[in-house]
Amino acid sequence: MKNVAKLFLAVMVLLAFTAPVVFGGGAAEPTVEATNPTGNPWTDGQDLSGTEVNIFGAFVDEDASRFRTAMAPFIEETGINVVYEGSGDFESLITVRTEGGDPPDIAAFPQPGLMRDLHSQGYILNVLDWFDMSFLEQQYNPGWIADSMVDDEVAGVWYRASVKSLVWYPPRVFAAQGYEIPETWDELLALSDQMVADGFTPWSIAIESAGATGWVATDWLEDIMLRIHPPEVYDDWVAGDLGFDSPEFREALDIMLEIWFNDDYVLGGTSSILTVPFGDGPAPLVTDPPQALMHRQASFITGFMPDGTDIGPDGDVNFFYLPPIDPAMGSPVLTAGDIMSPMRDRPEIRAVLRYLAHGESTRGWLEQGGFVAPHEDASLDWYPGLDRGYAEILLNADVVRFDASDLMPGVVGAGSFWTGMVDIVSGEDIDSVLAEIDESFPR
Amino acid sequence: MAQNTATQQQEHAEGLAARESELRHAAGARGSILGSMKAKRIIGGIPVRIFVIVILAIWTLPTMGLLVSSFRTQTAIQQSGWWVGLFNFTNFEQWTLANYDRVLTADGMAGAFFNSILITLPATVIPITMAAFAAYAVSWMKFPGRQFLFVMIVGLLIVPLQMALIPVLRVYTANNISGTFVGMWLAHTGFGLPLATYIMYGYISGIPKSILESAYADGATPWMLFTRLILPLSVPAIASFAIFQFLWVWNDLLVALVFFGTRRPIVTTRLAELVGSRGQSWHVLTSGAFVTMIVPLIIFFSMQRYFVRGMMAGSVKG
């Protein structure tokens, strides 16, 4: 018995020392010998090979391995080892790690709101201390730069964009019924009526998302806000200068509820909106026969579609651009994205950030799909079929604005705005709900 | 003669049959007495049985649903509940092993299992060892401040570990042990120690004083007392706490995310990653749950004997 225990301990100790070497696992740490570590556009002619930069972000699994692929050319050229670590609990962990004195070199924030919080606590460095504004202006659309600014500082460079203003539909059914892709909001409503007359249900709307239920509704409203008001109104609304209980916001809400509160339009009726998980939203489009014909959701929803769904103009589902409402507002696009913010300062970190600010750094991911680059110098030719469509929508946009709920203070953008929308859909008095949201806005 | 023999045989056969029926009758009577007693017991036990069955059903139903779902395709899971799948058992289109395939063949899953074991075993052994020493000292060695020390340890049970995350991480960062195995062992040791000490104290302080005194009179040193008497006697308590601690560390995600990170995968962090950046692959959680359950189940069944005994550890003592 004693010997067994001793043997056991000995094995454990042995394992403890060998395992980290043998089973580094997942994040393989390649030690790259760069042939010429100074002959690259990123390191300012310095030899930084052998150094390491760690990036912490919210994308995991497939996305993480795609990101590593995108970093590989940089690692090869410079010899700087870029180690990416991802976690689904990024939002909580980044705070804990930062306050615990263990921040990553670069953090990839999925929402600028959280980045602003950490910036206000002084944890995020100013990119303008490293690069000139003219360089950033050459790399990004002004809308993106504006969204990366906190006060007078630039708190990061945009790396990934996602396009939200999309409507998914089954193209074969559209072709069989002779439906045209709507170019205006009125056409969209007319098409919905036509579908009802033909015995179809036009919309699949699903917003259940556990603790985050409500964000789908905020996306709808943001898209509508951009389509009926100038971008300045949208910015005021984000900043809290324009309340929720304002004629401008109420107008948007009315337009949305015209669809949502119409039991003929919505699959399962208005009451099912709150109970169906958002991930199940596109499924009714691909059943045979389809249970619903349109679904408004961002580009990432393809990941939730049932296995084997063929996406494309001739496939099971395709997408069209959510049409404009007021022609005077042009074609606005609602976006979201990941921003890379520096949290420490070393020459190799600057080199990595310079790389991330170039379209070239996204190429490895772009080519594998599921990615839209916000960079001006990312070529459309790099995109595989479907993604090029998103990129074109983004490129053709007259106005690009970031998801408002991600920009608003957390208590509203990830709190009262969400719950308020749930309350409205479940039939509570609109006046009092809007007043409540306004009250919760920290000013 | 031949006829005679035949009659005799017949008589014999009749006699046999009669005796047999007699016997059978007797047996039947005895059987019916037994039967009625049994029936009474059964009838008396019916409410209890129904209660037990209902509780069992409620308890296992979610697990059952999870098990059924883990064999269904993503499309099937999204379109209908697992009970629908069970009623249409013959619809073979919905059944698949893909979820298990996805989990078992995921990148780094083998390494994750290994890392998990590597964290869990020392993180179980270290706190128990320390707790046994501490419990012995607190219950049998006389030194000033003993009571106060014990109250402090028990008091620590109330402190939620979430409160300690940031301060402990600061200490780790300053000493360069964040993200290491040693850091994980220490963290789990620290978080497990109060409960371990408390349980071990309950058991060790209950060992009859006379045994220890006689051993002491025979010239045993405190160290010998501990290794030769206390430790062997407290095996049930050690085993029961070992199971608790093992399960807790094995299933832990929070401590691992904060102190270990996800650069080196462990089972829980890897599984959380498999779900995808936006939770789009949540259906793999069904099979993932059963895959991760394997190791705790092995532990539980192989130590079940101690577990039942150990549950009563220290419970008799007031």
Side-chain angles (χ1 to χ4, degrees):
Chain A
M1 187 69 190
K2 231 179 185 178
N3 287 335
V4 174
K6 265 186 191 164
L7 185 72
F8 172 76
L9 266 181
V11 171
M12 286 315 307
V13 170
L14 197 71
L15 285 183
F17 286 102
T18 54
V21 184
V22 183
F23 283 87
E29 293 171 22
T31 44
V32 181
E33 284 294 319
T35 40
N36 175 14
T38 52
N40 63 68
W42 321 117
T43 58
D44 262 345
Q46 307 164 76
D47 179 1
L48 298 169
S49 57
T51 54
E52 187 179 295
V53 173
N54 67 73
I55 303 179
F56 183 43
F59 37 89
V60 295
D61 202 41
E62 262 178 44
D63 286 349
S65 70
R66 286 172 178 174
F67 178 65
R68 292 193 186 106
T69 313
M71 289 298 112
F74 175 81
I75 297 175
E76 208 162 298
E77 283 176 48
T78 61
I80 299 173
N81 193 15
V82 180
V83 180
Y84 174 75
E85 186 187 351
S87 170
D89 297 293
F90 173 83
E91 282 87 345
S92 356
L93 283 178
I94 186 72
T95 317
V96 171
R97 287 200 189 164
T98 305
E99 288 185 10
D102 189 22
D105 296 329
I106 296 173
F109 290 97
Q111 309 137 330
L114 185 59
M115 176 197 76
R116 287 174 187 208
D117 288 348
L118 285 179
H119 185 275
S120 68
Q121 295 165 42
Y123 289 122
I124 292 177
L125 308 178
N126 185 3
V127 178
L128 289 179
D129 291 345
W130 298 1
F131 311 134
D132 290 337
M133 194 54 156
S134 57
F135 164 72
L136 293 175
E137 276 166 356
Q138 159 205 324
Q139 295 303 110
Y140 296 99
N141 174 305
W144 287 110
I145 296 179
D147 286 332
S148 66
M149 305 245 336
V150 189
D151 305 329
D152 296 331
E153 299 188 357
V154 172
V157 298
W158 290 99
Y159 182 68
R160 178 167 72 155
S162 91
V163 178
K164 295 206 163 203
S165 310
L166 303 177
V167 179
W168 299 86
Y169 70 101
R172 292 196 197 113
V173 182
F174 269 52
Q177 295 290 325
Y179 296 150
E180 299 269 322
I181 302 296
E183 304 274 330
T184 67
W185 196 266
D186 291 332
E187 284 178 30
L188 185 74
L189 292 181
L191 178 63
S192 302
D193 288 332
Q194 179 66 41
M195 287 171 177
V196 174
D198 292 343
F200 290 107
T201 307
W203 293 95
S204 163
I205 304 175
I207 78 169
E208 196 278 329
S209 178
T213 305
W215 64 262
V216 179
T218 67
D219 282 7
W220 271 78
L221 282 165
E222 290 152 10
D223 251 334
I224 296 171
M225 282 294 277
L226 283 175
R227 279 164 176 71
I228 55 176
H229 302 300
E232 294 74 34
V233 172
Y234 186 86
D235 295 340
D236 284 349
W237 175 55
V238 168
D241 298 335
L242 179 77
F244 283 78
D245 195 3
S246 59
E248 287 87 348
F249 182 77
R250 276 170 175 271
E251 192 186 341
L253 187 63
D254 288 342
I255 292 176
M256 180 181 92
L257 294 183
E258 197 184 331
I259 294 177
W260 286 39
F261 278 7
N262 186 333
D263 274 338
D264 293 335
Y265 277 6
V266 182
L267 179 66
T270 306
S271 55
S272 84
I273 291 178
L274 288 177
T275 53
V276 181
F278 76 94
D280 292 349
L285 269 56
V286 297
T287 52
D288 187 30
Q291 297 166 298
L293 297 181
M294 291 187 284
H295 180 63
R296 197 224 73 104
Q297 190 53 279
S299 49
F300 70 77
I301 200 68
T302 51
F304 288 86
M305 290 181 183
D307 280 338
T309 304
D310 181 14
I311 305 161
D314 310 311
D316 302 319
V317 274
N318 196 18
F319 60 87
F320 60 80
Y321 166 71
L322 182 71
I325 299 175
D326 181 348
M329 302 306 149
S331 312
V333 171
L334 185 69
T335 57
D338 295 77
I339 184 167
M340 299 279 187
S341 298
M343 300 189 78
R344 294 179 197 250
D345 187 5
R346 291 197 305 272
E348 60 268 25
I349 300 175
R350 294 187 181 202
V352 172
L353 206 71
R354 185 173 294 121
Y355 179 65
L356 292 171
H358 282 85
E360 209 175 321
S361 64
T362 63
R363 189 171 177 173
W365 196 340
L366 276 181
E367 290 174 343
Q368 295 181 71
F371 192 96
V372 180
H375 308 77
E376 295 282 300
D377 60 346
S379 165
L380 270 184
D381 299 335
W382 297 343
Y383 289 91
L386 187 68
D387 295 306
R388 190 173 307 154
Y390 311 140
E392 274 166 2
I393 288 178
L394 195 56
L395 215 63
N396 294 335
D398 298 312
V399 175
V400 176
R401 277 297 180 273
F402 205 88
D403 189 332
S405 60
D406 284 345
L407 295 171
M408 289 174 179
V411 281
V412 182
S416 56
F417 192 2
W418 287 351
T419 52
M421 289 307 110
V422 173
D423 291 343
I424 288 177
V425 177
S426 54
E428 277 184 37
D429 176 50
I430 293 177
D431 294 326
S432 59
V433 171
L434 293 183
E436 258 171 52
I437 303 177
D438 275 334
E439 212 163 283
S440 71
F441 208 114
R443 288 190 171 87
Chain B
M1 184 67 198
Q3 204 184 3
N4 199 11
T5 322
T7 336
Q8 263 182 356
Q9 264 182 351
Q10 201 184 343
E11 268 171 20
H12 183 69
E14 269 168 16
L16 268 182
R19 219 172 322 150
E20 211 171 278
S21 88
E22 221 170 274
L23 272 174
R24 212 184 292 144
H25 191 73
R30 206 164 56 226
S32 76
I33 291 169
L34 275 177
S36 76
M37 278 170 68
K38 214 173 178 180
K40 259 187 205 158
R41 262 215 315 266
I42 291 173
I43 292 167
I46 281 177
V48 177
R49 275 157 203 254
I50 291 177
F51 183 69
V52 168
I53 288 170
V54 168
I55 294 277
L56 267 178
I58 294 175
W59 226 248
T60 39
L61 208 63
T63 319
M64 171 84 177
L66 202 63
L67 183 68
V68 174
S69 292
S70 71
F71 288 105
R72 302 183 77 210
T73 60
Q74 183 192 0
T75 325
I77 294 177
Q78 277 179 345
Q79 281 174 351
S80 60
W82 58 271
W83 53 92
V84 179
L86 214 53
F87 287 139
N88 305 315
F89 183 79
T90 46
N91 173 15
F92 287 106
E93 250 175 47
Q94 60 174 333
W95 305 115
T96 176
L97 287 173
N99 297 336
Y100 284 93
D101 185 54
R102 177 83 203 281
V103 169
L104 289 173
T105 60
D107 281 345
M109 207 50 173
F113 260 94
F114 194 82
N115 286 339
S116 266
I117 291 174
L118 206 64
I119 286 170
T120 312
L121 287 183
T124 309
V125 173
I126 299 171
I128 295 179
T129 318
M130 290 173 73
F133 280 122
Y136 171 60
V138 172
S139 47
W140 293 108
M141 292 170 82
K142 300 263 182 290
F143 57 92
R146 185 168 73 129
Q147 279 301 325
F148 176 74
L149 209 61
F150 183 65
V151 170
M152 279 284 289
I153 292 170
V154 175
L156 282 178
L157 279 173
I158 309 164
V159 180
L161 80 88
Q162 288 86 341
M163 275 179 61
L165 292 180
I166 291 176
V168 172
L169 187 60
R170 279 194 189 151
V171 176
Y172 273 29
T173 316
N175 292 292
N176 277 328
I177 54 169
S178 101
T180 64
F181 283 95
V182 175
M184 285 299 281
W185 298 339
L186 286 179
H188 280 300
T189 301
F191 293 134
L193 212 45
L195 184 65
T197 313
Y198 183 65
I199 288 182
M200 293 303 290
Y201 173 83
Y203 198 83
I204 289 178
S205 65
I207 292 171
K209 202 178 176 184
S210 50
I211 301 181
L212 299 176
E213 273 173 350
S214 58
Y216 196 64
D218 286 342
T221 60
W223 173 252
M224 283 166 77
L225 271 185
F226 180 74
T227 52
R228 302 260 179 96
L229 265 178
I230 305 280
L231 272 191
L233 282 175
S234 31
V235 163
I238 291 176
S240 86
F241 182 74
I243 294 174
F244 278 134
Q245 178 76 2
F246 186 94
L247 292 181
W248 155 247
V249 178
W250 183 266
N251 291 327
D252 162 76
L253 177 68
L254 178 66
V255 175
L257 281 177
V258 174
F259 296 120
F260 199 61
T262 55
R263 275 210 224 174
R264 278 189 298 242
I266 68 168
V267 170
T268 45
T269 54
R270 190 70 193 94
L271 199 62
E273 277 185 13
L274 276 185
V275 177
S277 306
R278 296 176 203 270
Q280 67 270 40
S281 305
W282 57 268
H283 58 283
V284 302
L285 276 187
T286 54
S287 53
F290 281 92
V291 171
T292 51
M293 233 184 258
I294 295 170
V295 175
L297 279 183
I298 292 173
I299 297 281
F300 185 83
F301 282 116
S302 60
M303 296 180 83
Q304 197 186 18
R305 203 156 48 97
Y306 300 105
F307 193 57
V308 177
R309 255 205 284 170
M311 287 287 266
M312 291 184 286
S315 61
V316 190
K317 200 179 174 293

